[in-house]
Amino acid sequence: MSGSLRPRASGWRRAATVVLAAGWTRPSPAAPPLPPLPPLPPLPAGGFRLLLLQRCQDQGFLPGAHVFPGGVQDAADRSADWLRLFAPHHGPPRFGLRPARPPPRPFPGLPDADGAAAAQPDDAAPAALPDDVAARVCAVREAFEEAGVLLLRPRGAPPAAREPARALPPPPGLDAWRERVRRDPRLFLSLCEQLDCTPDIWALHDWGGWLTPFTRPGGRRFDTSFFMCCLSEPPPVRPDGSEVVRCQWSSPSEATESFMKKEICLAPPQFYEIRRLANFTSLSDLHKVCLDGTSEGIEKWLPITFLTANAMVQLLPGDELYSEDSEYLENVMSSGKKIEDIMKESKTLHRLVLHSHHVFDIHVTIQSKHKHIYPKTFVVSKSRL
Ligand SMILES: CCCC(=O)SCCNC(=O)CCNC(=O)[C@H](O)C(C)(C)COP(=O)(O)OP(=O)(O)OC[C@H]1O[C@@H](n2cnc3c(N)ncnc32)[C@H](O)[C@@H]1OP(=O)(O)O
Ligand SMILES: [Mg+2]
């Protein structure tokens, strides 16, 4: 590894993840209904599937869980060496990306992610890549390392396409390159050079961000930017067989169903994002929101863990119990009451209720800010508890 950004004792590691949503024209396998869930509706024409990767069981974080491709930023992702690859067509300050959004309001007392350069103003000297470009390079590299998907664009090709993107077909020698990049992330730039491509940073749209909540002292914490990439069709996916052991393309309702049937494990942010994506019936609707929504602020959230007598709650900004008190950077809230009683007392809700590993409810009654699309309230039948 060239310079993985290691955590400070109290720091988050800066990370990036990309939700790959691919247009899907293949028939959906008939999923047998499982009472008391309603049967899955057929996937509408123009529907999409999301790429989920299963992490290996030996992972120190989220072992065995299904996640979107992603990982920790490496110093190589923001190297000034990228500047010559993006030149002469793209360069500082914005590399052809739309104007920078207002930065998300930080949680009081939140330390910067360790090792990450301070956010550069648009007129900063072009010493290295700006944060939002480096985060996209990281997500593209991780998608290649973990899934063998190359989100690259030939150098000089116009970036402002209104259509969903296409991954680059896998070139010969892909596996050998992948192994080299896994050992040394600096070599991702060499691969791009050899293919005369740049990371397709323009196909990665701001989607949100999650900071790992406090659950226990010493737990790993990530400051993860989420990007959305709409692909016209699913590219071939080859899990690396080490960090990632399996992959699947699932619609939001199929992923929800698999999770509830205990076929897959999801962490709260992934479950929440999958339910958010259930708002969209077609890839073109999703892609339109990605293209249109880019002038609005994007929200990055630090959930607060609230332990009740019989459930764990992840409180999100806007919920009436959410408190921007730096106390909760390193502590949980707790109550001896049962979740049912707490729910009866609450009206303004933005929370995930974790009844068990496979039974999560989402409650959202808050109004959307910045055109942000929230998931709909999703409550699992109590007979499943
Ligand atoms: C109760 C509520 C708790 C929560 O909410 S938890 C939710 C936390 N937040 C999120 O999930 C946000 C979204 N998550 C993500 O994007 C990613 O999962 C996240 C957090 C960035 C983690 O990225 P990683 O995949 O862990 O990072 P990475 O790809 O850079 O590093 C890979 C790590 O995997 C390790 N690894 C690779 N191959 C392995 C193998 N064969 N066996 C065991 N470990 C292996 C590798 O050493 C590295 O580990 P390390 O983290 O550097 O210690
Ligand atoms: Mg990873």
Side-chain angles (χ1 to χ4, degrees):
M1 299 284 276
S2 67
S4 192
L5 305 175
R6 305 304 304 177
R8 284 192 304 244
S10 62
W12 276 255
R13 283 202 278 174
R14 193 163 289 188
T17 193
V18 55
V19 182
L20 292 181
W24 203 267
T25 47
R26 300 176 211 175
S28 182
L34 176 76
L37 282 181
L40 274 177
L43 198 65
F48 60 91
R49 296 285 194 284
L50 309 170
L51 179 61
L52 293 170
L53 304 178
Q54 186 179 17
R55 295 164 69 81
C56 83
Q57 293 292 348
D58 300 331
Q59 282 282 354
F61 187 72
L62 303 179
H66 279 71
V67 295
F68 308 116
V72 175
Q73 273 193 35
D74 190 276
D77 299 329
R78 65 168 58 249
S79 162
D81 293 342
W82 285 104
L83 293 169
R84 72 183 146 77
L85 195 75
F86 280 105
H89 305 286
H90 304 290
R94 296 297 307 146
F95 291 79
L97 294 173
R98 301 212 187 168
R101 297 160 168 229
R105 194 157 61 92
F107 192 91
L110 185 69
D112 278 344
D114 187 72
Q120 295 173 7
D122 281 352
D123 59 354
L129 298 192
D131 281 346
D132 54 350
V133 178
R136 284 170 167 82
V137 171
C138 169
V140 170
R141 176 183 55 72
E142 289 284 343
F144 171 59
E145 287 185 28
E146 296 177 356
V149 174
L150 276 170
L151 300 172
L152 303 185
R153 177 176 283 264
R155 286 175 77 207
R162 302 283 300 176
E163 306 81 46
R166 281 177 189 276
L168 204 75
L174 181 92
D175 288 346
W177 267 108
R178 180 149 69 154
E179 201 38 52
R180 276 180 235 148
V181 174
R182 279 171 58 79
R183 283 202 300 270
D184 183 353
R186 285 174 300 188
L187 295 179
F188 188 50
L189 181 110
S190 312
L191 171 64
C192 292
E193 263 176 331
Q194 176 151 328
L195 297 171
D196 201 23
C197 287
T198 59
D200 193 353
I201 56 171
W202 310 279
L204 269 62
H205 303 280
D206 287 319
W207 189 248
W210 290 84
L211 294 143
T212 315
F214 177 84
T215 48
R216 60 186 167 81
R220 292 173 198 228
R221 300 184 85 172
F222 300 91
D223 169 352
T224 308
S225 298
F226 276 60
F227 296 103
M228 175 62 61
C229 178
C230 295
L231 296 169
S232 52
E233 59 188 20
V237 179
R238 292 162 61 125
D240 65 14
S242 170
E243 181 183 346
V244 167
V245 290
R246 237 169 262 115
C247 67
Q248 64 187 61
W249 289 98
S250 303
S251 68
S253 44
E254 287 167 346
T256 307
E257 180 89 12
S258 285
F259 172 69
M260 293 173 66
K261 285 158 89 177
K262 305 187 181 174
E263 293 165 353
I264 64 173
C265 292
L266 297 170
Q270 283 77 11
F271 182 75
Y272 182 100
E273 294 299 343
I274 286 168
R275 291 313 307 161
R276 221 180 132 197
L277 285 158
N279 284 304
F280 298 92
T281 50
S282 74
L283 186 74
S284 61
D285 284 354
L286 175 60
H287 191 227
K288 189 169 176 303
V289 164
C290 290
L291 293 174
D292 294 349
T294 45
S295 60
E296 305 290 336
I298 211 78
E299 301 194 24
K300 189 175 257 192
W301 293 329
L302 171 64
I304 292 176
T305 303
F306 177 34
L307 300 176
T308 72
N310 56 344
M312 179 194 279
V313 182
Q314 296 284 326
L315 300 169
L316 297 168
D319 190 284
E320 65 185 51
L321 293 180
Y322 191 85
S323 164
E324 284 192 348
D325 182 337
S326 54
E327 155 93 3
Y328 298 117
L329 289 172
E330 303 286 343
N331 281 297
V332 299
M333 279 183 193
S334 59
S335 163
K337 292 185 185 174
K338 289 189 153 187
I339 185 65
E340 295 76 11
D341 297 324
I342 287 165
M343 291 305 296
K344 277 183 210 149
E345 293 163 5
S346 317
K347 281 202 173 62
T348 308
L349 307 172
H350 189 200
R351 61 181 69 166
L352 279 138
V353 178
L354 284 49
H355 296 281
S356 68
H357 288 306
H358 291 272
V359 181
F360 294 179
D361 292 341
I362 298 177
H363 297 268
V364 183
T365 62
I366 57 169
Q367 295 300 309
S368 174
K369 275 193 296 185
H370 310 305
K371 293 192 195 164
H372 189 92
I373 292 168
Y374 294 107
K376 294 191 170 61
T377 289
F378 179 85
V379 179
V380 179
S381 161
K382 294 298 166 273
S383 63
R384 288 194 161 238
L385 299 182

